[in-house]
Amino acid sequence: MGFNFNNSMLKDPKVRQAIEYAINRKGIVDNVLDGHGKVVNTVFSEASWANPGDEGLNTYGYDAEKAKSLLKEAGFEQKDGVFYKDGKPLELTLKYSTGNKPREQAAVLIQQNLKDIGINLNLESMEYASLTQQLKDKNFELYLMGWTNDIDPDIKTSWYSNPIGIFGVYGNISDPSLDKLIDAGRSEFDQNKRKETYKEFAKAFNKMYCAGYFYGN
């Protein structure tokens, strides 16, 4: 699930972290993927030598009370079970493509998870081509999409800042500090040094951009 980081409701990392805590990712793996998947907390493929595991990462375990606490820290107040800020309810729309049954089922579970903590989530499905165009046009708040990483951790085409990285384009990521780490990893030939660089990237991305995923096998 991706965020539009320029969206007024989603700019605050605490709001994004609250959403991560609110989603029962293990429940999605168990109930949608019949256990044929794994909850992961980094952008690196599990098969890659650069994957740091969960060392130094926030695992964003399912914790509804933690989610509510973070929203309150972000300036929201809860009334009648719904979080508000400046008189406006915290309401978001999740977009995803039609025809992918697991993704459609996951969207419904995410909607229920967020409702449980006081976030109203609207679901909007569309053809894949329409979805990618809306992402490019920044006409979204949240989206569901799948992708495959290579075993070699050259992630520039995925996670570099807009307009180079595809998720930079989609999510409005613009972070020179992350770009610097990606460039350092690409220019280093020593695998151990590269692994340390990517570990730093994983920590920074996990904290600021809430890398919490579930993979299907």
Side-chain angles (χ1 to χ4, degrees), residues 102-196:
R103 209 165 293 164
E104 292 172 352
Q105 293 168 358
V108 173
L109 291 178
I110 291 170
Q111 182 185 47
Q112 184 60 55
N113 285 162
L114 296 189
K115 180 181 178 181
D116 289 343
I117 69 158
I119 298 176
N120 293 325
L121 184 68
N122 302 308
L123 302 182
E124 185 175 344
S125 63
M126 63 196 70
E127 294 298 320
Y128 181 79
S130 298
L131 175 63
T132 55
Q133 187 59 54
Q134 292 204 18
L135 297 183
K136 290 176 183 178
D137 293 340
K138 311 298 187 291
N139 181 22
F140 73 97
E141 293 165 340
L142 302 169
Y143 67 90
L144 283 180
M145 186 170 281
W147 85 100
T148 301
N149 278 339
D150 292 329
I151 292 181
D152 185 87
D154 182 1
I155 54 175
K156 185 167 185 173
T157 57
S158 294
W159 297 107
Y160 212 77
S161 292
N162 185 10
I164 296 174
I166 186 169
F167 294 103
V169 172
Y170 289 170
N172 290 305
I173 294 176
S174 181
D175 194 325
S177 65
L178 292 183
D179 294 344
K180 185 177 180 179
L181 289 170
I182 293 174
D183 288 336
R186 299 179 86 236
S187 61
E188 177 59 62
F189 290 98
D190 185 298
Q191 182 169 304
N192 290 328
K193 291 181 179 179
R194 287 186 78 194
K195 188 169 184 176
E196 287 303 310

Side-chain angles (χ1 to χ4, degrees), residues 8-132:
S8 59
M9 287 287 192
L10 297 170
K11 278 186 174 182
D12 190 332
K14 290 182 179 180
V15 175
R16 303 195 296 267
Q17 290 167 357
I19 290 172
E20 290 284 4
Y21 278 114
I23 297 173
N24 186 353
R25 293 182 290 144
K26 183 63 165 57
I28 292 174
V29 170
D30 291 343
N31 296 307
V32 175
L33 303 177
D34 294 326
H36 299 292
K38 184 177 181 180
V39 172
V40 293
N41 300 293
T42 176
V43 300
F44 295 107
S45 167
E46 188 181 24
S48 174
W49 52 262
N51 187 308
D54 287 337
E55 181 183 352
L57 303 184
N58 189 333
T59 58
Y60 294 104
Y62 177 52
D63 190 336
E65 293 307 311
K66 176 70 172 178
K68 293 177 183 178
S69 176
L70 284 165
L71 289 176
K72 291 174 182 176
E73 290 178 24
F76 289 85
E77 59 178 3
Q78 197 168 23
K79 295 186 294 185
D80 299 324
V82 177
F83 276 99
Y84 288 80
K85 190 173 186 179
D86 299 327
K88 297 179 180 179
L90 181 47
E91 184 170 351
L92 300 165
T93 297
L94 175 65
K95 297 184 177 183
Y96 53 95
S97 59
T98 55
N100 185 303
K101 292 301 180 184
R103 209 165 293 164
E104 292 172 352
Q105 293 168 358
V108 173
L109 291 178
I110 291 170
Q111 182 185 47
Q112 184 60 55
N113 285 162
L114 296 189
K115 180 181 178 181
D116 289 343
I117 69 158
I119 298 176
N120 293 325
L121 184 68
N122 302 308
L123 302 182
E124 185 175 344
S125 63
M126 63 196 70
E127 294 298 320
Y128 181 79
S130 298
L131 175 63
T132 55

